Amino acid sequence: MQSETQVNEYLEELEFLADTAGASTVKRYTQKLPQPDSRTFIGKGKLEEIAEYVELKEIDLVIFDDDLTGKQVNLLETALKVKIVDRSTLILDIFASRAQTAQAKTQVELAQMQYLLPRLRGLWTHLERQRGGIGMRGPGEKEIETDRRIVRDKIALLKKDLEKIERQNQTQRKNRGAMVRVALVGYTNVGKSTLMNLLSKSEVFAENKLFATLDTTVRKVVWEAMPFLLSDTVGFIRKLPHHLVESFKSTLDEVRRK
Ligand SMILES: Nc1nc2c(ncn2[C@@H]2O[C@H](COP(=O)(O)OP(=O)(O)OP(=O)(O)O)[C@@H](O)[C@H]2O)c(=O)[nH]1
Ligand SMILES: [Mg+2]
């Protein structure tokens, strides 16, 4: 159960995320339910209320603050006739557009695949068929299994790639020797990269959007004759999809080692 204050904080954050992804928010809805509806997440009355508004104002995107199942996405898209996105999808989308290095790109793709895997049953699109460009009939059990295998293989491959990148990074870290290490850690958009730039006179990308930084940057800084390694990292957010946390672990490892 989320308190009202918490819900508002989450929605503030969600609005900023939407803004970062290029969408402007025009209306918020909340609903108190003993538990989410397994089919449509929200109740029937609320769904009708939103559908009316969406049609009236010609809204083209509805974002949910909690994770939806594949089935819920489908039913909501049918009912509201617009694209439905949940918090995880939105964050993954932002991360995908921000990823610069091979490591960040692989981490994001891994998180996307892990998010997709349990949702294949509910989704109507079929990977193999998509590839072949044939129709949009609902997939049979056998086809879902094929899709699962494709996604699982991809996950295994991405994990291997990440391990390889991580080994290379470890070698790099060893070469840096036993210098004092300092890491800038905190909520996204608080000014970590700006501070990094000031201290190290470097030009790490900083802007008033969430997740401007995805890749850890390490710079050597000398402050009052004391040399140390300063690293700037991916920022935190209140409700981060756990697959993302999982796949960004090695990035954050950099911080733990400090
Ligand atoms: N007013 C004010 N704005 C600041 C200050 N430091 C940074 N900013 C602004 O805050 C915004 C975010 O700064 P970043 O340095 O990108 O923040 P970050 O913590 O690296 O953010 P992520 O990489 O997205 O996690 C930018 O628009 C900065 O110009 C400060 O001391 N005061
Ligand atoms: Mg930053």
Side-chain angles (χ1 to χ4, degrees):
M1 209 48 165
Q2 306 168 25
S3 76
E4 213 171 303
T5 327
Q6 234 177 1
V7 167
N8 282 329
E9 268 176 25
Y10 287 153
L11 289 182
E12 279 300 321
E13 194 180 72
L14 191 69
E15 206 171 310
F16 202 173
L17 283 167
D19 178 70
T20 295
S24 58
T25 307
V26 288
K27 199 166 170 64
R28 293 179 185 181
Y29 290 90
T30 53
Q31 183 177 35
K32 273 190 190 143
L33 279 179
Q35 63 198 46
D37 189 289
S38 67
R39 292 170 54 80
T40 51
F41 192 75
I42 47 175
K44 197 161 164 264
K46 187 62 73 182
L47 186 57
E48 279 166 11
E49 191 189 330
I50 298 175
E52 244 171 60
Y53 186 82
V54 163
E55 202 186 336
L56 185 72
K57 300 281 179 184
E58 296 179 6
I59 301 299
D60 42 27
L61 180 67
V62 176
I63 307 174
F64 285 75
D65 195 45
D66 293 285
D67 276 357
L68 302 169
T69 64
K71 186 164 103 183
Q72 284 168 338
V73 171
N74 277 331
L75 290 174
L76 288 167
E77 273 182 353
T78 309
L80 300 176
K81 298 183 197 73
V82 283
K83 190 166 170 49
I84 304 292
V85 164
D86 63 16
R87 174 180 272 259
S88 288
T89 313
L90 183 61
I91 295 178
L92 286 169
D93 211 67
I94 295 171
F95 269 52
S97 68
R98 302 276 190 184
Q100 299 277 337
T101 60
Q103 184 180 24
K105 282 183 185 155
T106 315
Q107 283 166 328
V108 174
E109 205 185 342
L110 176 61
Q112 281 175 325
M113 288 295 148
Q114 283 169 330
Y115 175 85
L116 180 66
L117 188 59
R119 287 172 176 77
L120 283 175
R121 187 175 297 276
L123 292 171
W124 281 332
T125 47
H126 179 47
L127 299 180
E128 274 207 324
R129 201 178 284 133
Q130 256 179 0
R131 234 187 253 153
I134 311 163
M136 284 281 286
R137 189 170 48 93
E141 283 300 309
K142 214 174 131 202
E143 288 155 327
I144 290 169
E145 270 319 302
T146 317
D147 284 353
R148 283 233 175 97
R149 210 182 51 236
I150 294 172
V151 175
R152 268 199 222 102
D153 287 352
K154 184 77 194 168
I155 288 175
L157 197 73
L158 290 165
K159 278 186 175 164
K160 242 186 228 155
D161 287 351
L162 271 183
E163 279 165 23
K164 203 168 127 199
I165 298 172
E166 183 49 23
R167 274 199 300 276
Q168 288 164 353
N169 289 351
Q170 264 169 8
T171 317
Q172 256 186 24
R173 277 196 290 262
K174 260 187 218 146
N175 293 343
R176 284 197 208 116
M179 272 181 84
V180 172
R181 289 159 180 239
V182 178
L184 295 165
V185 181
Y187 188 76
T188 176
N189 206 42
V190 293
K192 300 182 297 300
S193 300
T194 308
L195 192 59
M196 168 92 166
N197 288 339
L198 272 172
L199 291 173
S200 65
K201 298 177 190 68
S202 55
E203 293 198 3
V204 174
F205 179 64
E207 69 165 345
N208 190 20
K209 291 274 171 79
L210 302 188
F211 301 115
T213 307
L214 276 198
D215 299 296
T216 305
T217 314
V218 184
R219 292 274 185 279
K220 194 177 157 184
V221 178
V222 182
W223 196 260
E224 299 189 347
M226 160 87 164
F228 61 91
L229 289 175
L230 182 66
S231 58
D232 180 29
T233 56
V234 60
F236 301 145
I237 196 167
R238 289 196 175 77
K239 245 168 39 176
L240 191 63
H242 74 272
H243 288 318
L244 257 181
V245 178
E246 202 46 46
S247 55
F248 270 77
K249 246 187 189 150
S250 56
T251 303
L252 292 167
D253 261 3
E254 181 89 24
V255 177
R256 264 213 319 249
R257 265 184 212 105
K258 301 280 126 57

